[in-house]
Amino acid sequence: MNAFFNMNFLTELLLSTIRMATPILFVALAETYSERAGLVNIGLDGIMSFGALIGFLIGYKTGSPTTGILAGALSGVAINMIYAFCTIRLCAPQIVYGMAINIFAPALASFIYRLSFSDTSTLIQGVSMKAMPIPVLCNIPVLGPLFFNHIPLVYMAYLLVPATAVFFNSTKAGLNFKAVGEFPKAAETLGINVVLQKYIACVICGALAGIGGAYLTICYTSTYSEGIVAGRGFIALSAVIFGRWMPSGVMLACLLFGFCDALQIRLQLLSPSTPYQLLQMIPYLCTLFVLAFFGIRKSGPKANGQPYYREER
Amino acid sequence: MKKTMKTASLIMAAVLTAMSLAACGSASAPTTAAGSSAETSAAETTKAETTKAEETKAADSSKASGYKVAMVLDSSVSDGGWGASCYQAMVNAAKDSGWETVYTDNVATADFTTVMTDYAELGYNLIFAPGNQYTDAVKQVAEEYPDIKFALLNGTVETENITSILPDAKQIGYMAGALAGLMSKTNNIGFIGGMELDTTKAKLECYEKAAQKVNPDIKVSSAYAGSFSDTAKGKEIASSMVSTYDVDVMFGDASAVDTGAREALAGSEGRYDIGQPGDLGSADHKIIICSVVTDNAALLKACMKDVEADTFGGKTIYGDLSNGCLSIGTFSNLVSQDIQTQYKEIVDQIKAGTFIQ
Amino acid sequence: MKQRENLMKVIVPVLSILVAFIIGGIIMICLGKNPFQAYGFLFSGAFGSSRKIAQTLVIACPLIFTGLTAAFSYKCGVFNLGGEGQFVMGAVASIFFVTKSGIGGIAGILLSLLIGAAAGAVWGAIPGILKITRGLNEMIVSIMLNYVATLFMGYVYTTLLRDGSVPQTFAIPDSTKLAVVSKSFPVHWGVWVALFLAVAGYYFLFYTSKGFKLRAVGLNSTAAFFNGFPVNRYVLFSFIASGAVAGLGGSVELHGKQLRLMGGFGQGYGFDGVAIALIAQLNPIGTAAVAFIFAVLRKGASTLQTGMQIPTAVVDIIQALVIIFAVAGTALLKLPAIRQYINSHMGKKEVTN
């Protein structure tokens, strides 16, 4: 137990938390944008796996991690356009299309992987993004390595949080955006192009989710294996609801989850006699308990999940 | 307007098809990426695979003996671990014997029987099931198709048409543990398991025993990833072992998870990994100091010979050091000659059964 | 008019299946395979012999159960995404009962199925209770519980009830296996249970007053509330009922097909069930039909892979495309602009609301 109070252990744990929370944060932010515009997208897992593959593939072929990330973002957008078209234009049920993407995208990713790499006995090593320490700040005793010695993408993820908050609360574009998710008909009468805003939301969602996936295969590890996403899309979904659709809350939710996940691995090492499955339940049970304790009365943007029929006045 | 909607959806579908076509195109066209050997061999294997597939359809090649073997795998063949090495083993064994090979991977547990039945119906002579988890399915299908032969890796079943192939998990554990004990400078070594298979537990136990025999101060940290494919988790587990316990040699039984672990080890100096079941290292490898090689191909070849000679079934084929199925892999230059000699002596002792009583 | 609408409801899914198959065919040509031969394999794999049809039905069975779970709960307005967890917990409860109590034979089977259904009901009640008392979104609670259930099952077959050298539980005793119809048509009786539930569900939802009330709550809970319906109670009831169906499905799968718990048990059934229910537009009988189609694709995919080395990913893509097109088509028909077009085309006056 004294391992807990070892400073090294704690720093490592927190570092791990930040690392493990980042991909979830990207995807959770993606979903926040989407749901704020009234579109529930449960196909995040699928978009992530596709982004992970394309990011890996392009990174491998070009040798540049940044190109890979960009490719991941673009591929996420491409896949999400299927969702966008069917739910916005055709007003089809959003849950179904999320599901369909979850089946379609990983299958397509696996297919393309097969075609590109065939069968080898070792996992192909792709490119890896290097950490970029911020010059002066990273030398601060404890906080330095914790906050200021990360891969650029990690910085981007955490900077996106206040950026999103500012966008939603203080900019006109952001307020219009939110209006689309709350009262689309009212927004339309105010001259806001509801359909366009929804499409924009889908583009942002697809891009961020794609980046989250590409992060897994370029920054977090530098290989692609089927199943690398490991259900993170659904965790992100929960994080959005947990964080009450606010960027700050979402970030806290992701950090909580990352913390529990990092903790659970270390607990396994500390007490090898405890069945590892029980320890692995910790993140999920923790989320549930915290949720149940605080309760959530707010149920999100009012027009969330509802198709928007422009013709109905 | 309905027409435009339909055409729009069709266009979308066409776009997706175009994407897949592009993927097809990229596989055959040579790329200008840094000409790494993996890349060129991948392109070659793609070509080889398509030709092999055509051969399979035509059912006649230069060396064909007319026999066919099929593998059913619940993980992926490109997992860099168990699946990949079993596939390689089958391909190598088949090449030497002139058999055709085919496989289905990523098979869900509920589909084991379905896939095996399909192969049986298609008349494959030997069905290779690389793991104990297929036992139920193999027993069921073997009963319904007594003419089809089944090779069960890590199995314990012997019937008229089922042969079990059993590489010696204990010896694998001893071999890995001995080397880890010799190489570790911090006296802390690590082990990552995928799922808690009995073979994994045996390997861990013997890993610990052997390491402590070589170096009584050795401490072993172990963890189970709960998956054979979550590379990221492997990386996390390895980095926490390194930072919390100062582990400097690791050994894994978790396929793709091990690859993640190796990535974590690559991040620090002086951290090493022992690979298995294929020969994953090389002389200039910075991380993998050696591998414990399981020659599943030789074991499978023995099965194939049996099928051809009609002497199949009713036995368990053991794979261990004495029949060459287990062997030491390629040493990296990081392992001094001194340690290499010491290690080879220990392995001889393991082979003779005198290492650990 | 209603006839025409119903005709459209059937034509659209069929058309979308065709389009999906055509695209799949294009992908196969790109791979260098003959699509006609491939589809031949697919269909012969699913229908080729009575034994194969039986296998397809066996694959469809759990999908019908989870599909009904989703259909039932959605019809009542609750998003029960916890089908997988409830399925698994049902099976876990059953294996505990069978291994510990030693009761065999028909009594054993019936009791075990009941206990499975009860376990599923309890697991399904959790998100329901949390929704009613704490206002929690049931989607996230049920998804979390899915993970917890699967991990718990992992604990059970790795440690608690482990049998032998691989992580799996003991097999259920022979006397508690569900019987098959016949040797040449080896489908277990569980399928009949599933189909019965589908018909019963349909009857309940559309022909009884209780079912009507549940549907009313689903369509507009505020209006229902103001009409004096005890909304909370109905919501809880839908969770419990749909959970019970899933739990029963898990039990049936254990007794009829898998015979023991091991890694990968029940994987994906929950979400597949959701997709199935939504394609079938929440109609219980339609759900059974769509589940069967999914099973055909699944069985056919495996035959396609073994027979022609076409990666299963291709059939997954086809399956996803079927979903995409089928639902797009139905949604397309519901669009007001399209409706107008069809109505004017049919020569009827548009009914303004």
Side-chain angles (χ1 to χ4, degrees):
Chain A
M1 237 15 194
N2 49 358
F4 262 108
F5 302 107
N6 179 354
M7 205 49 189
N8 200 19
F9 179 82
L10 280 174
T11 343
E12 270 303 309
L13 183 61
L14 290 172
L15 252 178
S16 212
T17 305
I18 296 183
R19 259 203 317 261
M20 296 182 93
T22 308
I24 308 180
L25 184 59
F26 269 116
V27 186
L29 283 174
E31 182 68 8
T32 312
Y33 276 100
S34 186
E35 291 204 18
R36 279 291 184 150
L39 295 165
V40 178
N41 188 344
I42 63 175
L44 298 170
D45 237 33
I47 305 179
M48 268 184 103
S49 24
F50 195 66
L53 173 76
I54 298 290
F56 176 75
L57 196 61
I58 302 292
Y60 181 79
K61 299 235 156 130
T62 62
S64 150
T66 332
T67 326
I69 298 281
L70 271 172
L74 285 173
S75 59
V77 174
I79 287 279
N80 210 22
M81 281 301 107
I82 304 176
Y83 173 86
F85 179 73
C86 293
T87 52
I88 302 176
R89 205 75 193 81
L90 300 180
C91 302
Q94 296 164 9
I95 306 270
V96 188
Y97 278 90
M99 298 292 326
I101 302 278
N102 272 337
I103 303 178
F104 181 69
L108 191 60
S110 149
F111 182 65
I112 296 180
Y113 183 75
R114 264 332 144 73
L115 286 178
S116 319
F117 291 113
S118 191
D119 320 312
T120 49
S121 21
T122 50
L123 286 181
I124 311 274
Q125 288 286 113
V127 290
S128 184
M129 204 177 245
K130 297 279 171 284
M132 191 179 87
I134 298 185
V136 172
L137 295 169
C138 77
N139 291 321
I140 307 176
V142 171
L143 299 175
L146 198 58
F147 290 128
F148 301 113
N149 186 7
H150 283 292
I151 299 168
L153 221 51
V154 177
Y155 299 134
M156 182 178 141
Y158 289 98
L159 285 173
L160 262 178
V161 176
T164 311
V166 164
F167 173 70
F168 279 140
N169 298 326
S170 312
T171 63
K172 181 150 188 271
L175 289 169
N176 287 350
F177 196 92
K178 283 200 292 187
V180 166
E182 305 273 353
F183 286 114
K185 292 198 181 125
E188 187 91 41
T189 57
L190 284 175
I192 301 173
N193 188 338
V194 172
V195 171
L196 183 63
Q197 287 282 26
K198 288 191 182 231
Y199 270 110
I200 293 177
C202 282
V203 168
I204 299 179
C205 177
L208 286 177
I211 294 180
Y215 174 85
L216 285 175
T217 50
I218 296 183
C219 311
Y220 198 51
T221 65
S222 53
T223 53
Y224 172 84
S225 63
E226 306 183 23
I228 193 165
V229 175
R232 288 185 173 82
F234 292 109
I235 308 291
L237 206 67
S238 327
V240 173
I241 303 177
F242 194 106
R244 303 179 198 217
W245 290 269
M246 293 185 302
S248 48
V250 168
M251 180 180 81
L252 282 174
C254 294
L255 282 172
L256 175 67
F257 218 90
F259 178 74
C260 290
D261 225 0
L263 184 67
Q264 165 266 115
I265 289 182
R266 280 158 180 78
L267 282 178
Q268 264 196 59
L269 293 178
L270 283 175
S271 79
S273 49
T274 320
Y276 65 91
Q277 290 98 347
L278 295 181
L279 292 174
Q280 280 178 333
M281 285 190 209
I282 293 180
Y284 309 108
L285 291 174
C286 192
T287 318
L288 275 177
F289 281 130
V290 175
L291 273 177
F293 186 70
F294 286 111
I296 297 187
R297 288 297 164 184
K298 184 171 184 214
S299 48
K302 289 185 192 51
N304 204 6
Q306 284 160 19
Y308 175 66
Y309 292 99
R310 192 185 232 145
E311 290 81 5
E312 287 174 7
R313 292 270 188 249
Chain B
M1 221 196 141
K2 181 161 134 183
K3 277 213 186 102
T4 46
M5 292 300 180
K6 266 263 150 71
T7 32
S9 341
L10 282 171
I11 290 175
M12 185 120 348
V15 166
L16 289 163
T17 323
M19 271 166 42
S20 327
L21 279 167
C24 293
S26 72
S28 40
T31 49
T32 48
S36 51
S37 51
E39 239 261 294
T40 29
S41 64
E44 279 169 353
T45 20
T46 325
K47 275 201 228 124
E49 200 189 45
T50 24
T51 34
K52 200 191 280 184
E54 280 159 5
E55 279 178 0
T56 320
K57 260 208 308 211
D60 113 82
S61 68
S62 50
K63 242 178 77 171
S65 56
Y67 285 98
K68 311 185 276 188
V69 59
M71 176 168 79
V72 180
L73 187 62
D74 56 359
S75 65
S76 156
V77 276
S78 348
D79 62 359
W82 186 253
S85 94
C86 288
Y87 175 66
Q88 275 311 120
M90 179 177 75
V91 164
N92 291 342
K95 207 160 40 150
D96 291 341
S97 318
W99 283 48
E100 282 169 38
T101 66
V102 114
Y103 70 89
T104 309
D105 64 350
N106 289 319
V107 181
T109 316
D111 296 330
F112 288 166
T113 16
T114 322
V115 177
M116 287 189 203
T117 317
D118 283 337
Y119 279 127
E121 291 259 329
L122 287 169
Y124 280 82
N125 308 92
L126 180 64
I127 298 186
F128 175 37
N132 202 323
Q133 63 268 34
Y134 306 97
T135 313
D136 273 350
V138 164
K139 287 210 302 224
Q140 194 181 333
V141 184
E143 206 181 303
E144 292 170 17
Y145 293 91
D147 293 330
I148 309 287
K149 316 284 184 236
F150 293 82
L152 188 58
L153 186 54
N154 279 339
T156 46
V157 182
E158 300 172 13
T159 72
E160 275 207 11
N161 55 347
I162 305 180
T163 293
S164 290
I165 305 178
L166 211 47
D168 194 335
K170 281 201 179 142
Q171 285 192 352
I172 296 178
Y174 287 144
M175 286 171 74
L179 186 57
L182 286 172
M183 285 295 290
S184 172
K185 302 213 169 31
T186 63
N187 290 342
N188 288 307
I189 57 177
F191 180 91
I192 296 189
M195 303 272 205
E196 248 181 290
L197 308 178
D198 264 14
T199 41
T200 308
K201 291 211 286 210
K203 285 178 195 168
L204 172 57
E205 218 179 284
C206 298
Y207 181 67
E208 199 166 338
K209 275 202 216 142
Q212 283 171 346
K213 179 100 193 276
V214 167
N215 179 350
D217 299 322
I218 288 270
K219 289 204 181 30
V220 177
S221 319
S222 65
Y224 282 97
S227 134
F228 287 112
S229 59
D230 199 348
T231 346
K233 187 145 270 177
K235 190 168 178 176
E236 273 309 310
I237 295 181
S239 34
S240 56
M241 280 188 181
V242 166
S243 58
T244 323
Y245 292 102
D246 208 12
V247 161
D248 64 344
V249 183
M250 293 203 59
F251 179 57
D253 194 16
S255 285
V257 176
D258 294 337
T259 316
R262 278 178 216 125
E263 273 188 39
L265 295 175
S268 347
E269 275 296 311
R271 313 281 171 184
Y272 307 122
D273 186 68
I274 303 176
Q276 70 107 27
D279 193 3
L280 303 173
S282 59
D284 51 0
H285 210 287
K286 296 279 178 300
I287 312 288
I288 302 181
I289 47 177
C290 194
S291 317
V292 178
V293 183
T294 312
D295 192 1
N296 287 319
L299 298 167
L300 264 179
K301 225 190 318 189
C303 284
M304 291 178 182
K305 288 275 171 295
D306 275 349
V307 174
E308 290 175 8
D310 213 17
T311 53
F312 192 86
K315 58 172 178 274
T316 304
I317 303 183
Y318 292 98
D320 52 32
L321 285 163
S322 54
N323 58 11
C325 286
L326 290 184
S327 56
I328 311 175
T330 319
F331 280 108
S332 141
N333 292 332
L334 294 160
V335 186
S336 67
Q337 274 305 119
D338 205 25
I339 296 188
Q340 285 191 25
T341 338
Q342 260 188 302
Y343 183 59
K344 289 197 187 130
E345 276 175 30
I346 294 181
V347 171
D348 284 334
Q349 285 179 11
I350 298 176
K351 185 160 151 185
T354 57
F355 182 57
I356 294 195
Q357 247 55 352
Chain C
M1 189 59 197
K2 185 127 188 195
Q3 258 183 339
R4 283 224 170 83
E5 261 185 32
N6 285 341
L7 195 62
M8 284 297 192
K9 272 194 190 163
V10 174
I11 288 187
V12 166
V14 170
L15 254 179
S16 27
I17 295 179
L18 275 173
V19 175
F21 275 23
I22 293 176
I23 297 180
I26 298 177
I27 298 180
M28 289 184 211
I29 294 180
C30 158
L31 282 176
K33 314 277 182 186
N34 180 339
F36 294 109
Q37 192 182 11
Y39 284 122
F41 261 103
L42 195 144
F43 288 114
S44 76
F47 297 118
S49 65
S50 67
R51 152 173 276 157
K52 288 190 184 155
I53 300 183
Q55 280 182 334
T56 311
L57 281 173
V58 168
I59 297 179
C61 184
L63 293 174
I64 300 180
F65 277 108
T66 49
L68 285 174
T69 305
F72 193 76
S73 65
Y74 283 38
K75 209 62 176 160
C76 307
V78 300
F79 286 112
N80 183 359
L81 290 180
E84 188 146 331
Q86 291 139 21
F87 188 86
V88 162
M89 286 316 259
V92 167
S94 281
I95 193 87
F96 262 111
F97 170 73
V98 164
T99 343
K100 299 291 183 191
S101 76
I103 304 178
I106 300 276
I109 297 181
L110 287 176
L111 275 176
S112 179
L113 291 181
L114 219 65
I115 291 187
V122 166
W123 205 249
I126 301 178
I129 296 176
L130 284 174
K131 180 181 170 103
I132 299 178
T133 54
R134 304 293 280 164
L136 292 186
N137 185 313
E138 67 272 22
M139 282 204 280
I140 166 179
V141 177
S142 36
I143 293 179
M144 292 284 125
L145 287 178
N146 282 346
Y147 284 109
V148 175
T150 314
L151 284 171
F152 183 69
M153 175 177 76
Y155 173 55
V156 168
Y157 65 67
T158 319
T159 321
L160 285 183
L161 289 181
R162 186 174 176 139
D163 166 35
S165 60
V166 198
Q168 58 188 31
T169 62
F170 299 102
I172 56 174
D174 279 341
S175 65
T176 50
K177 286 190 201 165
L178 286 180
V180 294
V181 173
S182 76
K183 249 316 181 141
S184 60
F185 191 55
V187 58
H188 58 79
W189 287 100
V191 176
W192 307 141
V193 175
L195 291 173
F196 169 73
L197 271 179
V199 176
Y202 179 75
Y203 179 76
F204 175 73
L205 277 177
F206 292 98
Y207 289 96
T208 63
S209 64
K210 190 89 182 282
F212 168 76
K213 288 182 191 156
L214 281 168
R215 278 189 297 135
V217 168
L219 284 170
N220 191 336
S221 58
T222 330
F225 180 71
F226 283 112
N227 259 301
F229 291 7
V231 172
N232 277 352
R233 224 189 307 157
Y234 282 170
V235 163
L236 191 60
F237 175 74
S238 0
F239 270 109
I240 294 181
S242 51
V245 170
L248 182 62
S251 261
V252 165
E253 183 76 353
L254 177 72
H255 281 274
K257 172 143 189 270
Q258 201 67 39
L259 308 179
R260 59 170 102 217
L261 287 184
M262 56 197 319
F265 181 85
Q267 200 167 39
Y269 287 146
F271 281 115
D272 277 348
V274 170
I276 291 173
L278 288 167
I279 296 182
Q281 300 174 56
L282 306 183
N283 181 323
I285 297 193
T287 306
V290 176
F292 183 72
I293 296 178
F294 264 56
V296 167
L297 282 176
R298 188 109 170 237
K299 177 86 176 62
S302 136
T303 319
L304 210 53
Q305 220 284 350
T306 55
M308 290 187 74
Q309 284 82 59
I310 293 181
T312 41
V314 175
V315 182
D316 276 343
I317 294 179
I318 296 181
Q319 187 181 335
L321 287 175
V322 170
I323 300 178
I324 292 178
F325 288 131
V327 182
T330 347
L332 192 71
L333 288 179
K334 284 208 199 116
L335 281 183
I338 303 294
R339 268 221 174 115
Q340 205 171 14
Y341 177 74
I342 296 179
N343 288 339
S344 61
H345 193 72
M346 302 277 180
K348 293 242 158 97
K349 271 223 176 82
E350 207 222 357
V351 179
T352 40
N353 46 349

